[in-house]
Amino acid sequence: SQKIEQNSEALNIQEGKTATLTCNYTNYSPAYLQWYRQDPGRGPVFLLLIRENEKEKKKERLKVTFDTTLKQSLFHITASQPADSATYLCAPDSSASKIIFGSGTRLSIRP
Amino acid sequence: GAVVSQHPSWVICKSGTSVKIECRSLDFQATTMFWYRQFPKQSLMLMATSNEGSKATYEQGVEKDKFLINHASLTLSTLTVTSAHPEDSSFYICSASNPQESTDTQYFGPGTRLTVL
């Protein structure tokens, strides 16, 4: 069955450092992969989408990579700020007409 | 943009009553909407896919008679939690994708916090 794993349940880093979150998937080959941010008590918000033929995509301080050989996506936040603290969810494109999310990584940026 | 709203944002009800939650796409038409449930500190769990003009598709383990879904128009889906019990207390979120976009990017509502006493 299709499976999505995000590296760690929680990640705690110092402000100003780069945060790197990992998303691994098994048993399918998504055409694209999406990353979302969720703040407590709120619905997720779409951040970035990367397609299978793209190695890397950037948006301001965010960068996503997509390695279809490793079946992995990395999500980077450079020059991290306390306001970046949130839960980040990855969602590989599914073969069905629905999106399945990873369990999420709760990122905390300490001042 | 693509904006999805939910109503109410929170609701408290007595055990045994039914609660209706509305999900609306404000600036696009959505033939498909999704309903999720999220317990504290857990990830989103897809409950069902709401299809305009046809029956909803429920995920394994979700009771369709307990969670009634109606998608009567291209901009409105409703989730009714029937005979709610304390274990149904959760955060319910809906989402929809804009059919004018080529991907399945989901636009989420703000969520509805249900507390059953």
Side-chain angles (χ1 to χ4, degrees), chain A residues 1-5 24-29 71 94-95 98 100, chain B residues 60:
Chain A
S1 61
Q2 297 174 346
K3 193 175 178 182
I4 306 165
E5 289 184 345
N24 295 292
Y25 56 92
T26 53
N27 296 328
Y28 65 125
S29 300
K71 293 186 179 292
S94 162
S95 56
K98 58 187 179 184
I100 305 296
Chain B
Q60 193 172 10

Side-chain angles (χ1 to χ4, degrees), chain B residues 40-108:
Chain B
K41 296 192 176 182
Q42 294 188 25
S43 188
L44 297 166
M45 187 192 80
L46 179 65
M47 299 176 66
T49 302
S50 172
N51 304 299
E52 188 268 336
S54 65
K55 291 183 179 179
T57 305
Y58 290 83
E59 295 299 302
Q60 193 172 10
V62 177
E63 301 174 60
K64 61 181 180 180
D65 295 330
K66 173 119 181 117
F67 298 99
L68 301 179
I69 290 172
N70 185 280
H71 196 149
S73 78
L74 287 171
T75 59
L76 173 64
S77 174
T78 60
L79 168 68
T80 301
V81 183
T82 62
S83 187
H85 290 286
E87 57 266 30
D88 298 323
S89 299
S90 188
F91 191 51
Y92 292 86
I93 312 174
C94 70
S95 74
S97 58
N98 188 338
Q100 294 186 336
E101 297 179 3
S102 61
T103 65
D104 289 335
T105 296
Q106 293 297 304
Y107 297 95
F108 285 85

Side-chain angles (χ1 to χ4, degrees), chain A residues 32 34 36 38 98-99 102, chain B residues 34 38 43 59 104-106:
Chain A
Y32 55 84
Q34 303 181 64
Y36 291 77
Q38 185 178 23
K98 58 187 179 184
I99 286 193
Chain B
F34 300 93
Q38 187 173 36
S43 188
E59 295 299 302
D104 289 335
T105 296
Q106 293 297 304

